Amino acid sequence: MSELTPELESFIAFRLGQLSERNEHHKFEEIATRIARKRISSNILVSNGPVSAGGDQQRDGESYTTRIPDEFPNAAGFAASASTSPVVIACTVQRTGLRAKVLADLEGICGPGAAPVDIVAFFSVSSIPEATSHDLQRIARDQYGVTLDIFSGAKIATLLAEPDLVWIAQHYLEVPAVMVPDPEGVAVPEWYATVLDGLRSNHGPAALTPATQGEITEGIRFATWDAAANSDLPEWADFMSAFLRDELSSDLVFRACYEISVARFRGLGEATDDLVRRAIGIACSSARADILEDCATLVSYWGNMWFAGVSSASAPEIAEARAKLIAHLTAELETTNSSEYPVRAATLTGTMAYLMLTPKVEQAEGGGYSPTKVERDRLAGVSLVDAKVDTSSAAESGLFDLNSVMAYLDQLVDLLPRARAYSVSSIARIFTLFTPALASDPRYTKVRDALDGAVAAVHGDAAIAQRCRDRAIAFVEAGQPLAALGELHDAKVRWFHGDLIYGAVLVTRFIGHLYRDLGLTYAAKMYASAAAMFANLSTDADTKAQLPKALLDSARAAQLAGSWIDAAGLTEVALLAQASLATDPFDIDKYPELGTHELNELMQYLAVRKFWPDLEPLFEAEHPNTGLYEQMVEDASQPGNEMPFDEGAFQELARGQFRGPVLSDLGPNRVIDFAALGVRWVFTFDADRTTVLSAEGFVAAFQVFIADAARYDPVIVEDTVRVHIDVIASGTSVVEPEGDSADMRVTIVSAMADFDELVPFLVAGSMQLLQEVHARPNDELAELLENLMRDGISHKVVVGRPYYEVADFLSTEHYERCAAATRPASSSDFAPTAHVALVASTRLGRGYDRAEALTLIEQRYRAAEAWKVSLASFFADPRGLDRFLQLRGEGWLDWQFIVAFVNVGLNWRLRQSGANIRNLAPAQLRQIAMRPEGNTDSPVPVDVFLREIEVNLAIQTAVIAGTWKLRSRPEKRGEGIMRNLLTRRYRFAVDDVPHRDILACLDGEGRFLPIVE
């Protein structure tokens, strides 16, 4: 069953209910008779006579006599579905008194003088309880000797959603074509062959009715995508073209234009410009929401025909048609009372959102794009997979009005609570497709959650988890792994219950892969280990088969972290699980991930064998059962398998490939060293089993935390933070500064299994570490934490069980062997590099105001004019000029030099006057600083400037930082941490105003000219 089917059924049920509200009995008679002709007997016709006059004697439809089934017992089509038993159809749109209504109709149908009847089929818009139905069927049998079949409520909606009946819903209930699922199946079905043979025998449709068009629609759609049937497509298009006659109703003509255009373009790669024009003309004079919705799809296809080079239409013509449809939709939307007609309003609003996501061909042409004309689109007959469609550049392309898209989607989701019959599947799919382009909009989260909620109401959490995964894939394809993680964590939660645990295991492994790619190897190891735990606990064979794969993921994360001996031990566990759970467990062709992983370990073994042979027994100890060590020894002895580097070259190569120091798991103290957010994070801890598992668990949670925090672009200084982790048996877990230094100490109580205690500590501890490098006010840090809590950080830093449980695969003896060994001295030169998504941000920092910055810069230049004598003296001295040129070479701007120069001069004046700066108000200080020097004044000595300029540059950097509310922090001389931050985030090395070159401010007579006019 297609995922669209439940929503289609809901929409049909809603539209059936409206027939009752409007007392549209005759329309329901038509619907019931059409169903009966397909499901009961083909020889049924609608009865004549007004209902109010009782002219049809309670018979809304009945069969006519035919002997064909007896005469042609092996015939197909009509003869096969006709009945020789008298059949009567009765129907009602009333909502109450249904039992009495059925009994009254039975009495009339079976009364004295009535024509004979064997079967009565009763159709009701409203549902009739099963118990009531069974009682009525008993009465029909006992009192009247007839068979009574009752079709009511949801049963009718289910029938009308079936492929060969859905045309009835489209015609009589105005169901949009986009809601109708495409035909499913790989073989040409019997119905397809039957309909096609009938059309061929009759040289086309026998009657130009909605029913016939519905059958042809089903066939043409099937042939569009089915490889075996695609060759029939021209024939189907010819059959459908019979409905293009001017004398037919406009909706039949529109449907013909739509189906032929879509089929010929998507199935044959051809354009049908004239049919598209005709369809748009019909739609722009129609008020039917379903026609307008399908026309929007057709306009999108027309643009794609142009881009593909198969359309003869010009870009301006397509743009004009799009604008015309938008104008008509806007008018229809403005005249629709959303309170009275919420479903119509939602349909029109969703259509507008979709139209805004159709590319503006005129913009593409204006930007220099000119499609190469071809006879046939190369993608004809190819069903595009959404995950392979790259929309990451949509925001920058200028081809889409994304702001309008989100505005209409925002309106749409506000309508959804009242428009429950509106099908959101199509617009939700398109939204997912454009996720990378739309995610930066502030309305994104609201729209995403509302669409997900609407889909979940029909399809359940599994459908939402699938959409989260699809959005994650779109983000990954667009190079946005942090956004992908957010979607995957949502999917993990929705899949995390019994019948969906297989999906939870897969998505947990996927999350681990993303953390691994981001260089957050301990977060990756935690998620891989958790996936292994979930798989191991499952009784489902497919889920259990994920166990060795997840264990290999964990081993790979350890390899990349530089923990090679841990990785070898985990590999042994994974291989044992593989041998236990898989068929042909070590067939590399069947399980290529095994070959890749073993090759990685072989390369590590070769390095140890050549550079640190005393460590080789560690590999042997980790592989006591699987024979992998013996295999590596044999492979290492083969000619050509020698390590081709010396130790230095190998370590240099390793620094580019690994995310931690080589053999970081050796020695009495372990080290975890990685980079993220522009910060180098170095964690050290003892190497015993309890400490390692507790410390790795904290680091894993912290890596998850900073990946989430990075999405909010906090203002962080580039620095190194060193953290030592102690694990104690009892007491209190804390994070605190390490004495008077900038280093930190984390104390963890071992085996903290209470989630109410563990999770808050991990989150709070991570927050404290981030606070060490966060440069903005603390209220922004609190806001960041609030956002992370809203996003579910609590269920991300721990996965199911504490890290020391899910990752506890190795023995105490393993940790003792590692602690007793010595880490290579050359590993101490390791310097981590961050993934591009986690490098120091260069986006404009929070609080920055360009206009304010430029105003302050201009004021600072003007301040220089008060010091013209000292400036002239300074530049006239070769030492002063050399120092100024040196500062310029270091990247200091002229206004920054001026600020430092004025500060040096101010301090000199204060010293000369004997004034105490503590006794002067700011206004007095400004007055002293701005007092113009006269031509007879003595300049500030050049030696003073040379001696004090560097300190004052650092001071003015701190002052500028304060302007943007950046927290001051102690720095060593020459570190330049705050200057670096200002340069990256606050345009400190960029912002300037037009000004005269300071070196050109002296005229020929030695007079100082204004720097800014």
Side-chain angles (χ1 to χ4, degrees):
M1 180 180 70
S2 167
E3 71 169 4
L4 293 176
T5 301
E7 290 190 3
L8 175 60
E9 292 177 2
S10 297
F11 186 83
I12 291 173
F14 166 77
R15 297 292 287 147
L16 286 169
Q18 289 189 318
L19 297 181
S20 179
E21 293 175 1
R22 300 170 183 167
N23 197 30
E24 294 181 310
H25 184 87
H26 285 302
K27 182 177 284 189
F28 188 53
E29 283 182 0
E30 290 280 351
I31 292 171
T33 303
R34 299 292 183 186
I35 294 174
R37 283 173 57 82
K38 283 286 189 179
R39 292 294 180 266
I40 300 173
S41 177
S42 59
N43 56 320
I44 293 177
L45 296 176
V46 177
S47 297
N48 295 318
V51 175
S52 60
D56 60 8
Q57 297 180 314
Q58 284 76 41
R59 299 183 178 212
D60 297 306
E62 57 188 332
S63 61
Y64 55 88
T65 303
T66 176
R67 302 263 60 88
I68 292 178
D70 295 333
E71 295 170 2
F72 300 97
N74 298 318
F78 172 88
S81 58
S83 172
T84 57
S85 300
V87 180
V88 170
I89 307 300
C91 58
T92 184
V93 296
Q94 69 185 49
R95 291 184 170 180
T96 59
L98 294 174
R99 187 177 189 279
K101 170 63 175 171
V102 176
L103 290 174
D105 281 4
L106 278 173
E107 184 178 359
I109 292 168
C110 303
V117 59
D118 290 341
I119 302 170
V120 176
F122 190 88
F123 289 78
S124 168
V125 163
S126 300
S127 293
I128 298 176
E130 288 297 322
T132 302
S133 296
H134 294 159
D135 186 50
L136 290 169
Q137 288 170 332
R138 180 188 57 78
I139 294 172
R141 287 194 306 271
D142 294 347
Q143 293 187 19
Y144 301 107
V146 298
T147 298
L148 172 66
D149 292 324
I150 296 177
F151 303 87
S152 64
K155 293 180 180 178
I156 299 175
T158 299
L159 288 171
L160 289 175
E162 292 176 355
D164 61 333
L165 294 181
V166 73
W167 68 266
I168 301 172
Q170 287 186 271
H171 179 70
Y172 292 102
L173 300 177
E174 300 181 5
V175 173
V178 293
M179 290 184 66
V180 179
D182 290 327
E184 297 178 343
V186 295
V188 175
E190 183 179 352
W191 67 263
Y192 176 89
T194 300
V195 174
L196 186 56
D197 288 345
L199 289 167
R200 286 168 172 167
S201 299
N202 198 55
H203 304 290
L208 300 179
T209 63
T212 306
Q213 189 178 53
E215 288 185 329
I216 297 175
T217 296
E218 190 74 10
I220 199 171
R221 291 187 176 191
F222 184 84
T224 299
W225 302 114
D226 186 81
N230 188 258
S231 59
D232 300 331
L233 202 50
E235 199 172 2
W236 284 108
D238 287 342
F239 294 146
M240 184 63 81
S241 66
F243 291 90
L244 297 175
R245 299 179 186 177
D246 291 334
E247 66 269 20
L248 295 177
S249 66
S250 60
D251 59 323
L252 288 177
V253 176
F254 175 84
R255 295 287 170 210
C257 292
Y258 176 91
E259 297 296 343
I260 295 172
S261 297
V262 173
R264 296 198 77 91
F265 177 56
R266 295 303 293 120
L268 300 176
E270 303 169 353
T272 53
D273 297 313
D274 289 339
L275 292 182
V276 175
R277 294 184 184 104
R278 189 174 179 186
I280 294 172
I282 293 171
C284 287
S285 61
S286 173
R288 285 182 52 166
D290 59 319
I291 287 181
L292 293 173
E293 189 173 20
D294 290 342
C295 189
T297 302
L298 205 51
V299 168
S300 176
Y301 274 126
W302 205 13
N304 289 334
M305 292 175 196
W306 183 84
F307 278 108
V310 295
S311 175
S312 61
S314 66
E317 181 189 5
I318 297 173
E320 183 182 354
R322 179 178 180 272
K324 184 179 178 181
L325 182 59
I326 289 173
H328 181 62
L329 269 165
T330 302
E332 289 295 322
L333 195 52
E334 289 174 350
T335 57
T336 298
N337 186 326
S338 61
S339 298
E340 189 173 352
Y341 303 106
V343 177
R344 174 178 170 81
T347 302
L348 295 175
T349 304
T351 302
M352 285 294 286
Y354 176 79
L355 262 178
M356 296 301 129
L357 283 172
T358 58
K360 301 176 183 177
V361 294
E362 72 281 12
Q363 295 281 9
E365 187 175 62
Y369 178 79
S370 178
T372 302
K373 293 299 180 182
V374 295
E375 292 184 3
R376 185 176 185 270
D377 180 20
R378 62 182 178 84
L379 295 177
V382 177
S383 183
L384 298 179
V385 178
D386 287 352
K388 300 299 182 182
V389 179
D390 183 8
T391 62
S392 59
S393 61
E396 296 78 27
S397 68
L399 302 182
F400 306 91
D401 188 352
L402 298 181
N403 183 59
S404 294
V405 171
M406 292 304 293
Y408 281 114
L409 289 176
D410 189 43
Q411 296 171 32
L412 172 63
V413 298
D414 287 340
L415 288 167
L416 290 181
R418 291 178 288 120
R420 296 189 181 277
Y422 172 71
S423 171
V424 301
S425 289
S426 293
I427 196 67
R429 184 182 65 82
I430 297 298
F431 176 79
T432 296
L433 189 63
F434 279 85
T435 284
L438 300 175
S440 61
D441 191 283
R443 294 161 290 194
Y444 171 81
T445 300
K446 172 190 173 183
V447 171
R448 180 199 63 190
D449 292 348
L451 291 178
D452 282 354
V455 173
V458 178
H459 300 289
D461 278 348
I464 302 310
Q466 183 69 43
R467 291 195 181 279
C468 290
R469 194 209 67 167
D470 290 345
R471 287 195 291 264
I473 292 173
F475 278 127
V476 170
E477 294 289 333
Q480 300 179 41
L482 299 179
L485 278 171
E487 296 290 350
L488 288 173
H489 279 296
D490 286 345
K492 175 196 68 180
V493 172
R494 293 180 182 275
W495 261 321
F496 204 87
H497 42 79
D499 55 339
L500 300 176
I501 195 66
Y502 180 75
V505 170
L506 290 182
V507 80
T508 302
R509 287 186 60 211
F510 193 176
I511 291 171
H513 291 175
L514 283 184
Y515 282 128
R516 184 185 70 198
D517 294 343
L518 286 166
L520 306 177
T521 51
Y522 288 88
K525 186 179 176 185
M526 176 171 69
Y527 272 82
S529 299
M533 178 189 70
F534 300 149
N536 189 47
L537 292 175
S538 176
T539 57
D540 174 68
D542 290 338
T543 305
K544 183 81 77 175
Q546 292 294 315
L547 172 59
K549 298 177 185 293
L551 288 169
L552 282 177
D553 290 342
S554 183
R556 181 57 181 156
Q559 285 179 343
L560 289 172
S563 302
W564 288 2
I565 308 305
D566 283 356
L570 290 168
T571 299
E572 181 79 355
V573 177
L575 294 178
L576 292 173
Q578 179 77 0
S580 173
L581 296 172
T583 56
D584 303 320
F586 302 113
D587 184 340
I588 300 302
D589 292 332
K590 193 172 184 180
Y591 305 104
E593 66 273 12
L594 282 178
T596 301
H597 190 83
E598 291 177 1
L599 178 61
N600 288 333
E601 185 166 346
L602 174 62
M603 296 302 295
Q604 293 151 28
Y605 170 75
L606 290 173
V608 167
R609 183 179 172 123
K610 179 174 182 179
F611 306 130
W612 315 291
D614 57 312
L615 301 179
E616 185 177 345
L618 294 174
F619 280 93
E620 182 178 10
E622 297 306 319
H623 295 294
N625 299 308
T626 61
L628 181 58
Y629 174 73
E630 290 75 14
Q631 181 64 50
M632 289 193 298
V633 171
E634 181 180 344
D635 290 341
S637 63
Q638 298 299 315
N641 281 354
E642 301 84 6
M643 177 60 63
F645 310 106
D646 61 27
E647 183 176 351
F650 175 80
Q651 286 281 21
E652 183 66 28
L653 183 65
R655 281 191 282 274
Q657 294 183 346
F658 294 94
R659 294 293 177 262
V662 167
L663 294 165
S664 58
D665 50 351
L666 299 187
N669 293 287
R670 292 197 176 198
V671 61
I672 297 175
D673 190 351
F674 67 95
L677 304 183
V679 180
R680 181 177 183 179
W681 305 94
V682 183
F683 294 82
T684 55
F685 46 90
D686 290 345
D688 62 278
R689 180 180 184 177
T690 299
T691 300
V692 169
L693 290 171
S694 297
E696 285 186 356
F698 181 85
V699 174
F702 178 65
Q703 290 183 339
V704 170
F705 183 92
I706 58 176
D708 255 28
R711 294 166 54 202
Y712 292 94
D713 196 25
V715 178
I716 302 294
V717 298
E718 286 192 84
D719 202 354
T720 296
V721 176
R722 300 184 184 278
V723 184
H724 184 74
I725 301 177
D726 287 325
V727 177
I728 57 178
S730 61
T732 304
S733 297
V734 294
V735 177
E736 55 193 352
E738 180 76 87
D740 296 329
S741 71
D743 296 344
M744 301 291 290
R745 178 174 291 272
V746 176
T747 302
I748 304 174
V749 177
S750 64
M752 200 189 324
D754 185 352
F755 269 49
D756 292 337
E757 181 183 0
L758 174 61
V759 171
F761 168 69
L762 293 175
V763 173
S766 298
M767 194 69 171
Q768 285 180 262
L769 293 186
L770 187 65
Q771 186 177 19
E772 288 300 303
V773 289
H774 186 260
R776 294 279 294 170
N778 284 335
D779 58 347
E780 291 185 16
L781 204 59
E783 179 186 330
L784 171 64
L785 180 59
E786 182 180 340
N787 289 331
L788 296 182
M789 295 299 291
R790 182 200 64 213
D791 292 344
I793 189 65
S794 298
H795 71 73
K796 300 175 184 178
V797 295
V798 175
V799 195
R801 296 299 302 161
Y803 180 94
Y804 61 78
E805 289 185 22
V806 300
D808 188 16
F809 295 107
L810 306 176
S811 67
T812 298
E813 292 74 18
H814 162 86
Y815 291 97
E816 290 174 347
R817 287 193 298 269
C818 290
T822 301
R823 185 182 311 126
S826 56
S827 292
S828 62
D829 293 332
F830 176 79
T833 56
H835 185 278
V836 65
L838 292 173
V839 297
S841 175
T842 57
R843 291 190 287 272
L844 286 178
R846 193 166 177 178
Y848 172 78
D849 185 311
R850 178 167 168 75
E852 179 183 353
L854 296 182
T855 298
L856 291 174
I857 289 170
E858 182 175 343
Q859 292 173 359
R860 286 157 180 151
Y861 275 130
R862 294 193 185 282
E865 296 172 14
W867 298 85
K868 58 184 180 181
V869 174
S870 294
L871 282 167
S873 171
F874 183 82
F875 288 123
D877 189 310
R879 296 174 301 157
L881 179 60
D882 286 346
R883 183 63 173 130
F884 172 74
L885 294 176
Q886 181 186 7
L887 292 174
R888 265 192 175 178
E890 293 172 0
W892 294 96
L893 300 179
D894 288 356
W895 66 267
Q896 294 161 357
F897 167 79
I898 290 295
V899 172
F901 191 95
V902 170
N903 284 338
V904 173
L906 170 62
N907 290 327
W908 181 79
R909 281 183 178 178
L910 292 173
R911 290 195 297 270
Q912 292 299 106
S913 66
N916 188 341
I917 190 172
R918 298 178 183 274
N919 299 327
L920 297 175
Q924 292 175 299
L925 287 173
R926 282 195 297 273
Q927 185 178 13
I928 295 172
M930 297 301 292
R931 178 176 59 79
E933 291 178 322
N935 292 332
T936 59
D937 287 341
S938 298
V940 180
V942 173
D943 286 336
V944 173
F945 283 116
L946 294 176
R947 183 174 63 249
E948 299 181 10
I949 191 73
E950 185 173 354
V951 172
N952 278 273
L953 283 171
I955 292 173
Q956 67 112 1
T957 299
V959 171
I960 299 299
T963 302
W964 305 125
K965 296 183 179 179
L966 300 179
R967 295 188 300 147
S968 61
R969 52 184 287 118
E971 290 186 32
K972 296 177 183 177
R973 184 170 181 176
E975 269 190 318
I977 292 176
M978 187 57 68
R979 182 188 175 199
N980 171 279
L981 175 61
L982 287 170
T983 299
R984 283 190 294 110
R985 306 297 302 270
Y986 292 87
R987 296 175 59 88
F988 188 63
V990 177
D991 280 345
D992 209 338
V993 297
H995 64 280
R996 180 179 281 110
D997 187 335
I998 293 179
L999 298 180
C1001 285
L1002 295 176
D1003 65 10
E1005 299 178 5
R1007 290 174 300 187
F1008 194 83
L1009 303 174
I1011 298 178
V1012 291
E1013 297 297 340

